[in-house]
Amino acid sequence: MAEDARYIELVGRDGKPKALLVGYGSNCSKHIIERWRQRPQESPRGNINASVVDQISRALPTALSAGLTSGSVFQVVGTPALVEGIKVGTHALMQTGGASLGTVVSTSSGQIAGQLRFAPSSMAPVIAPLAVWSVLNGIAGTLQLHRINRRLDVMTRKIENLAFRQEAETLGRVFQAIKTLDDLLDEYFHTGVFTQPAMTRLAIVEQEIGSVLERNKLIVEYFSERARVIQHTRGTQGAEQSATLLQEEGSTTIHDMQLLSGLISAQSRIQEAHLFYSLMENPNYVDRHLEKMQGRVEEHKAIISGFPSITELQNHARQCVDEMNWFQKNIFNRSTVSMVGQTETIRDPFASSQSSLNAIPSYCFWRDENGLNVKIDRSGQSI
């Protein structure tokens, strides 16, 4: 395969390689496109604005034009660490059969370091247009949002049965909005486009999710403030107040936090949809969109880090009991000690954390009978 695929280093203004533009030869390209036609589930789907290819072609007018005319498939892929590893020889391409296009492995350990698609060549590096970084950052942003969504979506599925019927209406609206959102993203990944009716539905979903999110944020913040005040109270009074708050509102607050996490998950999916739309319609706005998204992610981190810890409140109650003397524990305040013991059955689902994964953004472009195709390649991504 090595003689049928080449790469060009794409460097930034600082001259350092940050991505690769990889091109197949005509025979290999035919094989890849035929496989995508036979197995559409593996083919790249999401559309990207073709203007990004125009900007690349200005930097490489001859190579790109000739390659597209002869039927070559091109792919832009990063991250900087893998690009640099191939350049200095610490990583190599592990060849595989069929239409599989290679996996980057460390030459010293043999362990997989990340996924790339093609064999290298000695073509000179070029300074990549800003649109290349904008699109790569945009794809990386969608993968990051997808990872956030996967972690937080677990919380939604673990929401406990509600004891209050009035919550059913709110949950019903939220779950219907999430179903609509899933349908919109599913439509995009099957068709590669966001239609105007889809964007109208997305706006309705965004309003629904956002309003309930703000509502639950206020509820959780109110409980958190009460918990902070109680944690400054010691002894018998601290134990009694902690146990009372946990017994009366602990389970409900866990539900509120789980729902809020699910709402944050849904909002990340909304941002993902908007980002795909920008990649498709206006790639020059992607960087600005990512800045706004990063601000939203920081807000979400602050919300989650500010969640009241049920475990900490339970620990505080136990410590307060430990501060009580024998007569308080066994005669005067036995009911308080019993209440503290009963709160041990409340399980805090936020006590453990999950690790994240690395994402490698990529997109492909080629010309066929339908014209120029510019697609997001999410195949093989560990997300």
Side-chain angles (χ1 to χ4, degrees):
M1 189 186 79
E3 70 277 5
D4 205 25
R6 302 178 300 174
Y7 78 72
I8 301 172
E9 289 181 9
L10 301 177
V11 300
R13 298 296 173 183
D14 57 1
K16 295 181 179 179
K18 298 181 179 179
L20 302 177
L21 170 65
V22 195
Y24 283 123
S26 57
N27 291 334
C28 201
S29 295
K30 291 177 182 177
H31 184 56
I32 296 166
I33 294 173
E34 182 61 27
R35 181 179 176 89
W36 284 343
R37 287 172 177 167
Q38 293 177 358
R39 305 183 65 175
Q41 69 273 17
E42 295 181 2
S43 66
R45 298 290 184 84
N47 282 344
I48 300 175
N49 195 297
S51 65
V52 67
V53 177
D54 292 337
Q55 296 191 45
I56 299 176
S57 66
R58 293 170 194 163
L60 293 162
T62 303
L64 205 62
S65 176
L68 288 173
T69 301
S70 64
S72 290
V73 173
F74 290 88
Q75 185 170 33
V76 177
V77 65
T79 56
L82 296 183
V83 175
E84 185 63 24
I86 288 180
K87 180 181 177 183
V88 301
T90 57
H91 294 81
L93 284 175
M94 178 177 65
Q95 301 302 316
T96 54
S100 183
L101 308 176
T103 301
V104 175
V105 295
S106 169
T107 54
S108 59
S109 67
Q111 297 297 311
I112 292 175
Q115 292 178 338
L116 285 180
R117 304 294 184 183
F118 312 92
S121 75
S122 58
M123 298 181 71
V126 298
I127 296 179
L130 293 178
V132 170
W133 312 128
S134 180
V135 173
L136 279 176
N137 290 337
I139 299 170
T142 67
L143 297 176
Q144 171 71 8
L145 287 171
H146 192 72
R147 298 205 315 264
I148 293 171
N149 166 59
R150 286 187 61 185
R151 292 200 298 273
L152 297 180
D153 201 38
V154 174
M155 302 300 180
T156 306
R157 293 195 296 270
K158 290 183 178 178
I159 289 177
E160 311 223 355
N161 291 330
L162 297 178
F164 305 102
R165 291 179 62 87
Q166 58 265 34
E167 272 294 278
E169 179 184 356
T170 299
L171 270 188
R173 288 172 21 225
V174 169
F175 289 149
Q176 179 56 47
I178 290 175
K179 287 180 181 178
T180 301
L181 186 55
D182 286 338
D183 288 342
L184 293 175
L185 288 172
D186 182 70
E187 177 184 343
Y188 172 73
F189 282 114
H190 278 79
T191 66
V193 297
F194 269 114
T195 63
Q196 282 303 316
M199 295 306 296
T200 300
R201 295 172 68 197
L202 181 63
I204 296 171
V205 168
E206 187 171 14
Q207 175 63 31
E208 191 72 63
I209 294 295
S211 62
V212 182
L213 187 151
E214 292 300 325
R215 163 202 182 260
N216 263 61
K217 186 169 69 171
L218 292 172
I219 293 173
V220 171
E221 287 176 348
Y222 178 63
F223 180 93
S224 183
E225 181 59 33
R226 293 166 65 192
R228 280 194 293 268
V229 172
I230 289 174
Q231 286 177 299
H232 287 92
T233 307
R234 312 299 305 179
T236 302
Q237 191 175 12
E240 184 171 346
Q241 290 181 3
S242 298
T244 299
L245 184 61
L246 285 169
Q247 278 196 335
E248 292 180 351
E249 300 185 34
S251 296
T252 303
T253 298
I254 287 174
H255 154 70
D256 290 331
M257 289 189 290
Q258 288 173 322
L259 178 56
L260 185 53
S261 292
L263 292 165
I264 290 173
S265 169
Q267 197 168 74
S268 77
R269 273 183 250 181
I270 292 170
Q271 293 297 312
E272 182 181 11
H274 280 300
L275 187 51
F276 283 132
Y277 185 77
S278 292
L279 287 168
M280 183 180 74
E281 293 292 337
N282 188 11
N284 293 327
Y285 185 70
V286 168
D287 282 337
R288 173 58 179 157
H289 192 91
L290 284 168
E291 290 178 8
K292 295 167 66 177
M293 279 172 40
Q294 184 59 41
R296 184 63 59 87
V297 169
E298 293 303 321
E299 290 177 14
H300 291 166
K301 288 180 180 178
I303 292 171
I304 294 174
S305 64
F307 276 179
S309 173
I310 300 298
T311 301
E312 287 183 6
L313 201 55
Q314 289 171 326
N315 291 338
H316 177 71
R318 286 195 296 269
Q319 291 171 3
C320 289
V321 168
D322 292 340
E323 294 172 0
M324 296 162 60
N325 59 42
W326 187 89
F327 290 99
Q328 289 173 319
K329 292 178 184 179
N330 297 280
I331 299 177
F332 302 116
N333 301 106
R334 285 185 301 174
S335 61
T336 298
V337 175
S338 177
M339 286 174 61
V340 171
Q342 292 171 15
T343 64
E344 298 293 327
T345 61
I346 301 175
R347 294 289 177 257
D348 186 352
F350 296 89
S352 60
S353 60
Q354 300 180 0
S355 61
S356 61
L357 301 169
N358 291 324
I360 303 172
S362 173
Y363 62 94
C364 301
F365 57 93
W366 68 97
R367 192 184 301 279
D368 58 18
E369 63 276 8
N370 298 316
L372 183 64
N373 302 274
V374 192
K375 305 282 188 179
I376 298 172
D377 181 15
R378 293 164 66 99
S379 62
Q381 304 287 357
S382 299
I383 55 176

